[in-house]
Amino acid sequence: MFSRKDLIRLMIPLIIEQILAVLVGMVDVVMVAKVGESAVSGVALVDSINILIIQLLSAMATGGAVVSAQFIGRKDEKRACMAANQLLLTTGIVSILVAGIALIGNKTILHLVFGQVEKEVMYNAKIYFYISAASYPFLAIYNSCAALYRSMGNSKVSMKTSIYMNIINVSGNAICIYLLKMGVEGVAIPTLVSRIFAGLFMLYIIRNPKNMIHVDKRLRLGFHPEIIKNILRIGIPNGLENSMFQFGKLMVQSLVSTLGTAATASFAIASNLATIEYLPGNALGLGLITVVGQCVGASEFGQAKSYIKKIVGVTYAIVAVVACSMAIFSPQIVHIYNLNAESSKIAVELMIVHSIAMIVWPLSFTLTHGLRAATDVKYPMVVSICSMWAFRIGLSYIFVLQFHMGVMGVWFAMFVDWTFRAIMFTIRFVSGKWIKQPI
């Protein structure tokens, strides 16, 4: 169903988009580092919450993308458009509710999760959280529309929009921080503005009736419970899995914050740099949803299995190059962040160990995109949640508090989590039990 040229046309823009997202995230941290380590720590703490929210909204978008892709696979464009309308309706309502909770409960949420951090770090976190929470509805619109374009096999649109969004973000950061001498708000405000632009722009162009999938031009979205149910059937387990994953990371982040500012800052930088190693698998995983979704919709299960093998294999090849490069040049890369000697040393050690552990990452994460696109969502959810609580969280506290391994103990607990996931998901894929009937 997909030629090599089709796959390249789909995957390359996704990789570019992921690279841009990661690089801009790094630029944000580098720029805010000019304000001081307390600002870096404050932004990093809030980003842990932001990522949890973003993952929740992305999970809903993924549910809509799978449903739409399967309708396209069976040549039912009318119901694919209905699914697009219901996706926007669902993510719009959810994102507004979440943004309201975040804005009203700002101080309470931060103190509940990060109550033990230093006063200056908390001050910066509160400012950053207020401003970034206002962007959630616009980010939800952007993610939903981008997912719909990907389900059509068109990833160029979201890539181009991402380029414009990142130009607004980076230039805004430069103006606010370097010219206007603003603090963390100098990073947060441009992010808000760029997300408003991206959300409204994507909403405007997805209304074009020339698209295979489009929403109603006057945004008369309607209400179709059956389609919403199918979106939620995929989105809720995926969202629960992602939310639990990020909640676990928040608990670990809270544990790290008790180790001091140096540990918090080095962990934040290492986590930020680690996203570079994840981006090939994340990008190819997004493409895998489109490919497998359309194959399953057309009942071409053999092709779906073949494409999963091929794309996971490509992920391994790219990850190997990226991880080796990161391990070799980590001292020079960490130096960009202007950390003190102690924080830099810890960050470099974390990156080298992380690069080695990436050998199991594609089977732990990229592979699951293929399973979910075939509507096999409950198994990955159960495995991921159990692994998160037993290994990433449980072992982190044991390694840090009992064995006094410091921030490196958190890293080792994460690697055990990856290994368990890789084993369980590989067994599931080989067994063939992931193959489901289309929606």
Side-chain angles (χ1 to χ4, degrees):
M1 292 182 63
F2 293 86
S3 66
R4 183 177 181 181
K5 186 177 181 180
D6 291 333
L7 292 176
I8 292 174
R9 189 185 299 120
L10 174 65
M11 299 299 182
I12 295 299
L14 288 174
I15 293 175
I16 294 173
E17 185 177 348
Q18 291 293 310
I19 291 173
L20 287 172
V22 170
L23 289 179
V24 169
M26 292 173 61
V27 169
D28 277 354
V29 177
V30 170
M31 287 183 170
V32 80
K34 293 291 184 181
V35 184
E37 285 197 2
S38 62
V40 173
S41 298
V43 170
L45 294 179
V46 173
D47 274 344
S48 299
I49 298 176
N50 283 340
I51 291 172
L52 189 153
I53 303 302
I54 291 170
Q55 291 289 347
L56 173 64
L57 299 176
S58 296
M60 304 298 294
T62 297
V66 170
V67 173
S68 298
Q70 291 198 12
F71 281 138
I72 290 175
R74 68 174 72 169
K75 311 297 182 183
D76 190 346
E77 294 183 14
K78 181 179 179 180
R79 288 180 68 81
C81 292
M82 289 172 61
N85 286 331
Q86 300 310 290
L87 174 61
L88 277 179
L89 176 66
T90 305
T91 56
I93 293 173
V94 171
S95 63
I96 291 172
L97 289 174
V98 172
I101 292 171
L103 289 169
I104 295 171
N106 178 291
K107 295 181 181 179
T108 303
I109 294 171
L110 290 175
H111 280 291
L112 180 64
V113 181
F114 307 116
Q116 299 181 33
V117 300
E118 298 171 4
K119 186 176 292 186
E120 191 174 353
V121 173
M122 180 60 72
Y123 172 78
N124 286 311
K126 288 177 182 177
I127 295 175
Y128 190 68
F129 194 26
Y130 268 123
I131 299 173
S132 59
S135 71
Y136 294 160
F138 302 98
L139 187 61
I141 294 172
Y142 169 77
N143 284 338
S144 297
C145 294
L148 292 172
Y149 270 105
R150 287 194 297 269
S151 67
M152 291 185 272
N154 184 348
S155 55
K156 285 185 178 180
V157 170
S158 61
M159 179 195 71
K160 291 178 180 178
T161 305
S162 179
I163 291 173
Y164 300 140
M165 178 170 61
N166 290 329
I167 289 174
I168 293 172
N169 191 19
V170 173
S171 59
N173 287 346
I175 293 171
C176 291
I177 293 177
Y178 296 117
L179 293 181
L180 301 181
K181 307 298 181 182
M182 299 171 70
V184 291
E185 63 271 24
V187 175
I189 292 174
T191 297
L192 172 61
V193 172
S194 66
R195 287 176 176 175
I196 291 174
F197 162 79
L200 295 181
F201 178 74
M202 290 292 279
L203 182 60
Y204 174 76
I205 62 175
I206 197 66
R207 295 160 54 250
N208 187 345
K210 293 182 180 180
N211 293 327
M212 185 185 305
I213 296 178
H214 56 272
V215 301
D216 184 83
K217 200 159 189 177
R218 296 183 181 179
L219 297 181
R220 295 170 298 188
L221 303 179
F223 180 65
H224 301 280
E226 181 184 347
I227 293 180
I228 292 177
K229 182 180 178 181
N230 285 329
I231 292 174
L232 296 179
R233 183 156 65 93
I234 298 167
I236 288 178
N238 191 22
L240 183 59
E241 175 189 337
N242 290 342
S243 296
M244 285 293 100
F245 179 75
Q246 295 303 325
F247 181 72
K249 289 178 69 174
L250 277 175
M251 290 186 65
V252 171
Q253 184 81 54
S254 182
L255 173 64
V256 171
S257 69
T258 65
L259 300 175
T261 302
T264 303
S266 61
F267 186 77
I269 298 305
S271 297
N272 185 256
L273 290 174
T275 56
I276 296 176
E277 298 183 340
Y278 303 150
L279 70 86
N282 288 334
L284 296 178
L286 291 174
L288 198 56
I289 291 173
T290 298
V291 173
V292 175
Q294 290 194 25
C295 287
V296 170
S299 297
E300 292 287 349
F301 301 111
Q303 288 195 48
K305 189 172 185 177
S306 176
Y307 285 126
I308 291 175
K309 290 180 180 179
K310 182 180 296 185
I311 292 174
V312 170
V314 172
T315 302
Y316 260 108
I318 299 175
V319 165
V321 174
V322 175
C324 288
S325 300
M326 290 296 293
I328 294 171
F329 297 106
S330 55
Q332 291 82 1
I333 297 173
V334 169
H335 180 70
I336 297 173
Y337 289 87
N338 298 314
L339 297 176
N340 60 38
E342 181 185 0
S343 298
S344 295
K345 180 177 180 294
I346 297 172
V348 170
E349 292 173 351
L350 290 173
M351 279 312 305
I352 292 174
V353 174
H354 186 280
S355 298
I356 296 171
M358 283 297 293
I359 192 170
V360 298
W361 190 91
L363 291 176
S364 307
F365 294 95
T366 305
L367 177 59
T368 57
H369 287 285
L371 303 183
R372 295 189 191 100
T375 66
D376 184 26
V377 291
K378 291 183 179 179
Y379 181 87
M381 178 190 70
V382 172
V383 169
S384 298
I385 292 176
C386 291
S387 183
M388 165 63 71
W389 285 99
F391 301 120
R392 182 171 296 204
I393 297 175
L395 287 182
S396 288
Y397 278 83
I398 291 173
F399 288 162
V400 172
L401 301 180
Q402 297 297 321
F403 293 95
H404 307 290
M405 296 173 63
V407 71
M408 187 64 75
V410 173
W411 234 225
F412 283 132
M414 180 174 68
F415 303 149
V416 175
D417 171 37
W418 290 2
T419 303
F420 178 78
R421 291 170 186 254
I423 293 170
M424 299 303 293
F425 294 146
T426 301
I427 291 173
R428 182 70 167 183
F429 177 72
V430 172
S431 72
K433 294 180 179 179
W434 56 277
I435 297 176
K436 307 286 184 180
Q437 291 301 314
I439 294 171

